[in-house]
Every structure is written in C-alpha cells, then in structure tokens.
Amino acid sequence: MRYHLTTFGCQMNDHDSERMKGLLEGQGWSEVAERDDADLILFNTCTIRGSADERFLGNLGDAKRVKRHRPDVLVAVGGCWAQSQKEGVFRDFPFVDIAFGPAEITRLGELVARERLDAVGAFSLDGAFSSTLPAVRERPHQAWVQISTGCNCVCAYCIVPSVRGRERSRPAWDVVDEVRRLADEGVREVTLLGQNVNSYGRDLPRDERRTFADLLREVAAVAGIIRVRYSSPHPKDMRDDLIAAMAQCPEVGAHLHLPAQSGSTSVLRAMRRTYSRERYLDLVARLRDAIPDLSLTTDLIVGFPGETEHDFAQTMSLVEACAYDGAYTFLYSPRPGTEAAERLPDDVPHDTKRERIGRLVDLVQATAAARAQRFVGTEREVLVEGPSRTDPTRLRGRLSQNITTNFTGAAAPGQLAQVLIDAATSTTLTGHEVEVAVPA
Ligand code: 5AD
Ligand code: SF4
C-alpha cells in the first residue's frame, strides 16, 4: 500500500494534493519517494497551457515504463488535464486505471479501493469540496484554505471554467472553523484559495451570504493567525470594501497578485476580461493610495490573437505604470474548447511572441530589482519558514509583501523576526535579525 504522487499546476492543486494524501494515508497508504517502489502512481495534473500538458505527459510515460515491469501497479490521473480528456484518457493511454477530475477528489478512496477490473473515470463538476478531506500538510506554519472552487468568468483563452466548473463558495462559518482548527495546530499564515477568490459568496444562500471582504476580516480576526493571503483575485471584483479590509487588517499581507493579462484595452476586450487598461490603472492607483507599502505582482500573456506591436507596447508601459514587484509572463497557448482557440486565429508568429516575451521579461526584472531596493536599510517583520535553501546556517521567511528573505538570526519557524534588510535582488532580500517578536 505505497503511493507516489506528482503534482503539477497552481496552488489549488497543491491544496488538493495535500487532501489526496490525507485521504490515502487515512486508508493505510504511505508515501514513497520513487515511482518504482509504488503500488499506486498518482498524478494531480494541470492543463492551463500546452506546456503543462507536455510536462505531465513526459511523466506519464515514466508511469507506463513502471507498469510494463509491474503490471499490478495502479496508475491514477486526477486534476484538470484528466478532466479535459475525460474517457479519452483510457483510449489514448490504455495503461491508466483511474482518471478523475478536480471536482471528484473526495471519491479517490473509493476509486482506488474497488476490485480492479476495468478502468474507471469520474468527471462530474459538482463533487464535494476537497477541503472536506483530512490534509497531510507540507508546511507546519502555513496552510492553504479553499474558500471556493470553479469560475464563472469567460476569459477567452482560459480552460479553467471548463475543467473546474461553475463557481461554488464554501460557507464562511465552515472556512472560519477550519482556520480556527489550523491556528490551534500552530498554523500562523493562511492563504485563501479560489479560482476567482474575490467573487466569493454570491452563490451562497441569502442567510449565509458574505462578501470576500467580510470573510477576509473574519479570517484575519482568528486568534493565532498573523498572516492572511489570497489567490487569485480578478480585477473586476476588487471593490472598495475589499481594499479597505486589506488596508485595515494588519494580518492581511501587503501584497496583491492582480492578473492584468495585457495592457491593451482592445486585447483585454478580445480576452473578455471586462476591464480596460484605464480601469485597471485606476484600480492600482486606489490600491496604492490605501496601502502605500503594497507589493503588486501580476500575470501577463504575450501574443494573444490579434496582438499588434502597439498592443504589446501597451503591456510594456503597463509594467512601468504599475511598478510591479514581479510578474509571471506566458506565451499565449490555444486551449481546445476555449473561445479564443475556436474562433480566433493564433496569428502572432512564434518568433514574434518569443521576441516580445524576451523584452517583457527584461523589463519586469529591471522593474522588480529597482522596486526591491526600497527595502534596503529598513527593518521588516519576517515570518520565519525554515532554514535558507542555499545556506542552512541562515533562515528563510517572507515579508508581509510576500518577498522571500534570507537572513542570519535565531528565530524559530512560525515566529516573526525583526530583520534589517541589507541587500536586494529582483526576487530575494538578505538581512540580519535585530530582535525577535513572539506572536501572542
Ligand atoms: N495561454 C497562455 N497563458 C494562459 N494563462 C491562462 N490561460 C492561458 C493560455 N491559454 C495564464 C494567465 C493566468 C495564468 C494562471 O495563466 O495569465 O492568469
Ligand atoms: Fe492548472 Fe488551472 Fe487547473 Fe490550476 S486550475 S491546475 S492552473 S488548469
């Protein structure tokens, strides 16, 4: 009863994988480090871009190799890629025994426990929240908290609504109960997760309805929780009550990942993002007004159908205007079944896409490096996560602004260390501890 799990994709998949582990370990399975030693080879997949599919398929080939030597091994593929293929998984990859979508995770126990005869798939989009399962958490002081699943947006490029289904919110009392339990277990930082986290609550029955801002305040008020983050918000749902909650709750990190996707209003329209460049810039101005020390990061897509050099220049200038602390940049990848893939020709030549993203990455890095200098010479609270990855004699943690900091000091994981920042690169700060503040 040994399993091996490989996780691809976003934080929601990291969360879901912790729940798969909790479910399996509750049924007597234990994790092994090598696929060759496993009785169950499990994947939690992503299909956001073609490159995600390719990465996973390489790994699936390795499972096929193991299965050739040991035909009794169970191969199970869960998550977004599985959902995008449904029964086609078994046709194209006959060595796969089990396939299930991200809304069917709670059924994993039943799927692996049955008498093995035929391949079995589970692809409904309205199964129970994976948060109802026990978790095997990777990190003692930090936890993911799922507040909603699915997405009602119609972004033309995005496959997520078709694989994660309509948006469904977890009742606030249920979320807060979980956060209280986590705090009792020693968790200090929670990250609230949803595909579109800040449209939370609209689907709840009237007597249970809460806005995301209400929920954020309730979570921030839980004793023992000293940091609250959330991912990912949609700019269209960033209302003033949410900005105020962020500004007023010191527990809520001074960081926002606010996907812009493009700086060009006409590309944004073709993407069906429902905001213009001007509205996005206005939102950033209001955020910076309310939260002066805010660190802002984003996602940008290069080479969406119809993107001209002028459109791309608008994305470059958005990076400058918003002064991002970081950005994930992606080449547009047509996803089967999405509006863009079905209706819009993928007409930006690959070389042009590559050349543009090169310029964009350089600009993002220069902007982030310049922005990071503002921390140098200042004292900051760092929530300690453990030893530094490169030098185990030093500590690693993050600022409220979500910037990784390596420093010398004696604070323990889960504590807030007072750190004087000595130096900054575009992604990392270094410093030394001046005093330890133990959380109440
Ligand atoms: N092509 C390229 N990037 C994409 N993203 C989502 N779909 C696509 C696609 N088809 C990016 C968006 C999103 C991030 C998670 O992935 O920027 O915010
Ligand atoms: Fe990938 Fe999106 Fe699914 Fe996350 S929700 S695993 S990013 S396809």
Side-chain angles (χ1 to χ4, degrees):
M1 297 275 281
R2 294 160 304 178
Y3 75 93
H4 180 279
L5 170 59
T6 316
T7 305
F8 303 88
C10 62
Q11 296 169 334
M12 191 64 92
N13 266 20
D14 289 335
H15 166 272
D16 288 348
S17 285
E18 291 189 349
R19 303 295 166 146
M20 290 188 206
K21 290 183 181 189
L23 181 156
L24 289 173
E25 297 191 12
Q27 295 192 348
W29 292 85
S30 52
E31 190 173 17
V32 288
E34 304 294 335
R35 286 195 189 116
D36 283 298
D37 300 328
D39 307 299
L40 166 64
I41 298 179
L42 176 60
F43 296 96
N44 192 9
T45 61
C46 171
T47 191
I48 192 81
R49 286 171 293 276
S51 54
D53 288 6
E54 283 156 27
R55 202 168 316 131
F56 159 63
L57 290 173
N59 280 263
L60 188 60
D62 187 52
K64 182 181 184 180
R65 172 192 63 79
V66 175
K67 183 124 183 172
R68 215 167 26 232
H69 297 303
R70 291 192 292 125
D72 281 349
V73 169
L74 266 184
V75 176
V77 181
C80 294
W81 176 86
Q83 184 71 31
S84 74
Q85 306 294 308
K86 300 202 182 67
E87 304 292 342
V89 174
F90 305 120
R91 183 191 61 227
D92 297 339
F93 305 94
F95 58 93
V96 172
D97 300 285
I98 296 165
F100 58 103
E104 294 277 43
I105 287 168
T106 55
R107 291 184 52 202
L108 176 60
E110 149 209 342
L111 296 174
V112 299
R114 90 217 140 86
E115 284 304 312
R116 282 199 283 127
L117 290 168
D118 298 318
V120 57
F123 305 109
S124 99
L125 285 174
D126 53 9
F129 284 102
S130 58
S131 56
T132 55
L133 298 170
V136 172
R137 285 190 291 103
E138 300 291 319
R139 310 165 305 169
H141 305 289
Q142 296 165 281
W144 311 117
V145 177
Q146 181 181 45
I147 68 161
S148 62
T149 77
C151 182
N152 293 351
C153 298
V154 291
C155 302
Y157 50 81
C158 189
I159 198 164
V160 170
S162 73
V163 292
R164 291 249 179 201
R166 300 283 296 168
E167 185 173 306
R168 290 181 298 146
S169 303
R170 242 177 113 187
W173 57 263
D174 193 21
V175 172
V176 173
D177 266 6
E178 182 179 356
V179 174
R180 287 208 187 98
R181 277 199 307 277
L182 289 167
D184 288 345
E185 290 169 19
V187 166
R188 294 291 165 259
E189 175 182 297
V190 291
T191 302
L192 308 182
L193 291 181
Q195 255 71 44
N196 178 3
V197 79
N198 56 341
S199 74
Y200 170 84
R202 288 177 202 153
D203 57 315
L204 290 172
R206 191 170 294 264
D207 55 330
E208 288 193 333
R209 200 165 298 161
R210 296 278 194 293
T211 65
F212 180 64
D214 296 335
L215 181 67
L216 195 62
R217 286 181 191 271
E218 280 190 55
V219 168
V222 171
I225 297 298
I226 56 178
R227 289 265 173 92
V228 183
R229 304 188 183 284
Y230 62 93
S231 181
S232 275
H234 193 301
K236 77 175 166 59
D237 297 310
M238 276 316 293
R239 298 198 206 300
D240 284 334
D241 64 334
L242 175 52
I243 299 176
M246 286 186 79
Q248 287 161 12
C249 300
E251 297 84 6
V252 178
H255 168 240
L256 190 63
H257 183 71
L258 189 66
Q261 312 300 2
S262 170
S264 153
T265 295
S266 60
V267 172
L268 289 168
R269 193 178 306 121
M271 288 176 164
R272 297 199 190 278
R273 289 292 286 173
T274 74
Y275 53 86
S276 62
R277 171 191 179 86
E278 288 66 35
R279 264 189 54 205
Y280 185 91
L281 284 171
D282 176 65
L283 172 58
V284 169
R286 283 185 286 131
L287 282 160
R288 292 228 183 269
D289 240 20
I291 313 158
D293 212 4
L294 183 73
S295 139
L296 192 66
T297 57
T298 198
D299 290 342
L300 297 165
I301 296 177
V302 172
F304 187 77
E307 184 189 77
T308 63
E309 183 56 38
H310 175 72
D311 292 319
F312 176 68
Q314 298 271 87
T315 297
M316 294 284 280
S317 81
L318 188 83
V319 170
E320 289 180 322
C322 293
Y324 290 120
D325 293 87
Y328 296 102
T329 54
F330 306 107
L331 294 179
Y332 168 68
S333 164
R335 305 311 292 135
T338 58
E339 185 196 346
E342 303 301 323
R343 298 234 198 110
L344 304 173
D346 185 12
D347 56 0
V348 180
H350 191 70
D351 288 350
T352 309
K353 285 185 190 164
R354 289 233 73 96
E355 185 273 328
R356 285 181 188 165
I357 206 169
R359 279 192 277 155
L360 185 60
V361 166
D362 288 348
L363 177 64
V364 164
Q365 217 181 336
T367 311
R371 287 276 297 162
Q373 300 310 313
R374 74 187 188 280
F375 297 113
V376 177
T378 68
E379 246 179 66
R380 302 279 170 158
E381 280 183 337
V382 176
L383 181 57
V384 183
E385 290 169 10
S388 150
R389 294 217 166 89
T390 48
D391 174 359
T393 67
R394 290 157 69 80
L395 294 170
R396 168 182 53 90
R398 273 172 304 138
L399 304 191
S400 169
Q401 283 81 1
N402 205 32
I403 300 177
T404 299
T405 306
N406 293 308
F407 63 101
T408 50
Q415 289 185 332
L416 282 177
Q418 200 68 27
V419 174
L420 182 61
I421 308 296
D422 301 315
T425 70
S426 62
T427 54
T428 319
L429 305 176
T430 48
H432 61 276
E433 188 178 355
V434 288
E435 177 195 330
V436 184
V438 182

